[in-house]
Amino acid sequence: LLTAPNIGNYQPLFSAEDEAGNSTELRSMLTVVPKPLSKVENVRGEAKGTAAILEWDPVPDDIDGYRIYVGEDPLQALYSLNTGRPTTRATVSGLLPGKTYYFSLTAVKGDQESAEKSTPVKVDIIGLTLNVTEEDSSLLLEWPNLPDSLPLSSFLLEYGTTPNTFVERRTLNGALR
C-alpha cells in the first residue's frame, strides 16, 4: 500500500528480498490523480415562460460550482454554462418557445469535473412552434408540443406569398390537432 503526498507523477523504486538472500528491484511510474467528483443526483426542471428552472441535490464534495449542459437531444449538449458557485438551483433563460430541452449537470472544482453527467431532465418550454412541409400542391402545417389545454381556435393563422407580408388571416378550427 502506497501513500503519495500530492497529485502528480512519481517514479518509485520497489525492491524485494527473500529469506535466501535473493533480491530484485523494479522501477515503475505511478500517477496519482485526484479523487473524482461525485455525480449530481435528482435533477428536477420545470418551464416558466421561456426559461427552465432547475434544482438538484448538492454533491458531498467541496466544489466551486456546477456545469449545466443544455441540448435538444438527451445525449448531446448544444452548449454548457457554469453556475460559478455551489448552488442547488439555476434558471436557464432565453429558450425558444414550443421546444423541448434536456439538461444534465456535473460538479466542477478548478479544472476537475464529475466523470459522469447527471441523468438528463426534460423540460418542455411552453409556446407554439409551426412546422411547414411542402407537399405536391399544398403545405402541411404542424404545431408540435401544443398543450391539450390550449385550443387551436386561440390562434390566428396569417399567410401570404411574400416574406413578412401577410395578406390572408384565418381563425384555426379548434377541433384540429
Side-chain angles (χ1 to χ4, degrees):
L1 180 63
L2 300 172
T3 303
N6 296 313
I7 296 167
N9 293 320
Y10 297 89
Q11 192 174 19
L13 174 64
F14 300 98
S15 61
E17 186 174 321
D18 64 13
E19 290 179 358
N22 300 315
S23 65
T24 185
E25 288 187 353
L26 173 68
R27 188 169 296 275
S28 181
M29 281 301 291
L30 176 65
T31 302
V32 178
V33 295
K35 177 184 168 212
L37 295 174
S38 301
K39 179 181 175 182
V40 179
E41 299 287 349
N42 298 320
V43 179
R44 301 164 302 280
E46 70 173 297
K48 188 140 190 154
T50 58
I53 310 288
L54 303 173
E55 292 184 61
W56 56 90
D57 293 348
V59 294
D61 310 313
D62 177 30
I63 60 168
D64 297 333
Y66 294 90
R67 183 163 293 140
I68 302 169
Y69 290 90
V70 183
E72 294 178 33
D73 179 325
L75 302 176
Q76 185 175 8
L78 297 172
Y79 61 92
S80 67
L81 51 106
N82 291 344
T83 62
R85 60 189 178 94
T87 183
T88 58
R89 183 178 170 100
T91 300
V92 179
S93 57
L95 302 172
L96 296 174
K99 290 226 178 239
T100 298
Y101 290 91
Y102 295 89
F103 300 89
S104 295
L105 282 89
T106 57
V108 177
K109 181 172 179 112
D111 61 351
Q112 189 182 7
E113 184 175 4
S114 302
E116 189 179 350
K117 291 179 185 172
S118 69
T119 303
V121 64
K122 174 184 166 183
V123 177
D124 294 318
I125 303 301
I126 299 168
L128 182 65
T129 302
L130 181 64
N131 296 334
V132 181
T133 307
E134 292 182 39
E135 296 193 338
D136 287 336
S137 60
S138 63
L139 297 172
L140 173 63
L141 304 177
E142 296 177 291
W143 37 88
N145 302 328
L146 183 66
D148 289 335
S149 61
L150 191 61
L152 282 176
S153 57
S154 302
F155 297 94
L156 182 66
L157 178 65
E158 296 181 317
Y159 55 96
T161 57
T162 355
N164 298 320
T165 306
F166 306 116
V167 294
E168 294 286 332
R169 291 182 181 180
R170 298 282 185 261
T171 300
L172 296 173
N173 180 345
L176 294 176
R177 295 308 293 156

